[in-house]
Amino acid sequence: MATLIELPGSDSGVASSEVTPESQDEVRASSADITLPQVPSADTADITDLEDDESLLERVWGLTEMFPDRLRSTCSSTVSTSLNLLKSTYELSRQVVWVAVSSSVILFAPVMFELERLNVEEMMKQDRNRLVFGPGSAVSGPPTPGLMPPPPPAR
Amino acid sequence: MGNVQASGPAPPAPPPPTAAAAAPLPPPAAPEKKEDDNPGPMEDLHKKCKDVFPVMFEGGKFMLNKGLSNHFQVSHTVNFSTIQPPGYRFGATFVGTQQVSPSEAYPVMLGDIDPSGNLNASIIHQLHPSVRAKFVAQIQQSKWQATQLTLDWRGTNHTTSLTLGNVDLVNGSGVAVTHYLQQVTKRLALGTELAYQYGPQVPGGHIAVHSVAGRYTGDNFTASGTLGGTGVHLCYYQKATEHLQFGVELETSLRMQESVASMAYQLEIPKANTVFRGTLDTNWTVGAVMEKKLMPLPFTLALSAMLNHPKNQFRLGCGFIIG
């Protein structure tokens, strides 16, 4: 009788009238082949290839994948927001300081200089008076004419 | 069209009220007949506050004032500037012979002109002991730019003024403004103003704007305000010490839909012969003017600075005045 030549692993599982124990074993082995994990000998080559391609940064970046998504997105938005805040604070403080300094230079600096100059002149005049008329006459006022006696020293 | 600013003499003490000039109100019951109850013209309502504010200028200014006689004074001004074309101006002041009081004499004529014919002139004359007239004209590029005729009648305790501006008889346009300012109590003065403009450009042929004004004078301060169709203008002046004065001003314009508040202070240092005025604006503009007299020679050095923060614009001015 004509029998079909059954190739191993391609058995469709249709029961044939003649099921020989050898063909059953072959079927069992071929299906076992399918469910078994990959044979190590075939994979070591793949892993070493991957190690050569990945850099340190990529591997560290890969570590982040162990954190949940929500935590990752929260962290990144916090960091970027704080960086932007820092930048805008710096810009604002630059403007504020510039406005304050330039306005005070225009509004207050000349008056301060004049008052300081006045004080220094008074001090110099007092020193000169003390030098010319002796100690105790460090009284600021109009210089006395030559004929009048100098003001009496304050007691 | 604008008010031509021509510096005139300070308002003198009003003449003693005569029986004929006494209005329906009897003269104020005061022991001295010469008591100054006249509130002054309406133009001077905010004067005390406005005097505190500095007038900033730009560029170099060299001015030489020379008095040729008791009545005549001449000034030469040379202006160096980037925003205005540099130029030379010649100014003359003539003070007449009608002596009203030790400090005032009339008529007063002042004007200045530059080589291309742009002229600012003003004539102030006292027609009657209580009536004063002022005429101001401005001619630019051989055309009448602005004219203004003001008549002030100073009564016993009130002042009435009539101002006619830019009256053009050919085109039939002009502006007429009447003021009335009454000294209600010793410290309070109330007044009103009516401005009337007519002409072909005015929508409807003519327009009138009415406003009220008031001024309260305290011991060390003066508060004045104008409230009307054109907007609100409030001023406050305070004398802090003998040498330090403050002024605050709020100006609102309904037409331009904007309002500006500004603050200024004036500090005098008599020992250093210096007067310093600084101002600060809500337009973020800062300005200051310092005038220093370099004794013993009659020289004055003026420094002016103005900084506009939003536009990042700075104007520096330096002036040297001799005489």
Side-chain angles (χ1 to χ4, degrees), chain B residues 103-137:
Chain B
S103 61
E104 290 309 310
Y106 290 102
V108 174
M109 294 190 235
L110 22 112
D112 55 285
I113 189 167
D114 76 355
S116 40
N118 299 336
L119 166 76
N120 293 341
S122 70
I123 305 173
I124 307 169
H125 189 47
Q126 186 153 306
L127 305 167
H128 182 268
S130 46
V131 178
R132 193 171 302 155
K134 179 161 100 164
F135 177 69
V136 177

Side-chain angles (χ1 to χ4, degrees), chain B residues 170-192:
Chain B
V170 173
N171 295 335
S173 72
V175 173
V177 184
T178 55
H179 298 295
Y180 176 73
L181 187 62
Q182 166 90 39
Q183 188 86 31
V184 173
T185 74
K186 214 162 167 340
R187 289 174 182 252
L188 180 66
L190 295 173
T192 171

Side-chain angles (χ1 to χ4, degrees), chain A residues 5-22:
Chain A
I5 300 168
E6 296 188 83
L7 296 164
S10 61
D11 195 280
S12 62
V14 174
S16 61
S17 52
E18 289 177 314
V19 179
T20 58
E22 294 89 1

Side-chain angles (χ1 to χ4, degrees), chain B residues 7-88:
Chain B
S7 63
T18 61
L25 304 152
E32 302 116 7
K33 218 170 172 217
K34 297 230 182 221
E35 179 161 311
D36 187 354
D37 212 23
N38 187 281
M42 183 82 120
E43 293 161 344
D44 291 351
L45 193 74
H46 303 296
K47 186 174 183 328
K48 269 207 143 144
C49 181
K50 285 206 181 273
D51 278 349
V52 177
F53 282 77
V55 177
M56 276 95 66
F57 56 94
E58 201 266 350
K61 181 170 81 166
F62 180 77
M63 186 145 82
L64 176 64
N65 289 335
K66 198 164 153 71
L68 297 180
S69 83
N70 242 354
H71 299 282
F72 198 61
Q73 196 185 17
V74 150
S75 82
H76 306 270
T77 312
V78 182
N79 268 317
F80 312 99
S81 155
T82 48
I83 50 175
Q84 281 168 351
Y88 161 79

Side-chain angles (χ1 to χ4, degrees), chain A:
Chain A
M1 128 173 61
T3 52
L4 291 165
I5 300 168
E6 296 188 83
L7 296 164
S10 61
D11 195 280
S12 62
V14 174
S16 61
S17 52
E18 289 177 314
V19 179
T20 58
E22 294 89 1
S23 65
Q24 271 191 342
D25 278 333
E26 281 176 359
V27 166
R28 232 178 284 124
S30 61
S31 59
D33 270 333
I34 293 167
T35 53
L36 270 175
Q38 290 190 345
V39 181
S41 59
D43 280 316
T44 42
D46 291 333
I47 286 181
T48 47
D49 281 341
L50 284 172
E51 270 182 4
D52 286 340
D53 287 345
E54 259 187 9
S55 71
L56 179 66
L57 274 176
E58 282 170 359
R59 290 174 69 181
V60 168
W61 184 254
L63 283 177
T64 64
E65 285 172 8
M66 77 168 120
F67 297 109
D69 267 342
R70 205 166 55 119
L71 178 67
R72 277 181 14 211
S73 61
T74 312
C75 269
S76 76
S77 66
T78 308
V79 168
S80 61
T81 308
S82 50
L83 278 177
N84 281 339
L85 195 68
L86 225 72
K87 266 192 260 184
S88 51
T89 308
Y90 174 65
E91 294 286 325
L92 183 69
S93 68
R94 269 180 71 187
Q95 260 195 326
V96 166
V97 167
W98 163 251
V99 168
V101 168
S102 59
S103 303
S104 51
V105 163
I106 289 182
L107 287 179
F108 305 125
V111 181
M112 295 288 132
F113 292 155
E114 280 302 314
L115 289 172
E116 278 300 310
R117 231 166 57 101
L118 195 66
N119 285 341
V120 167
E121 255 186 60
E122 294 266 314
M123 298 261 285
M124 281 178 51
K125 212 162 35 161
Q126 277 185 21
D127 285 346
R128 220 180 304 135
N129 277 349
R130 208 180 296 130
L131 209 63
V132 171
F133 294 120
S137 49
V139 175
S140 71
T144 58
L147 292 174
M148 279 173 56
R155 296 236 180 251

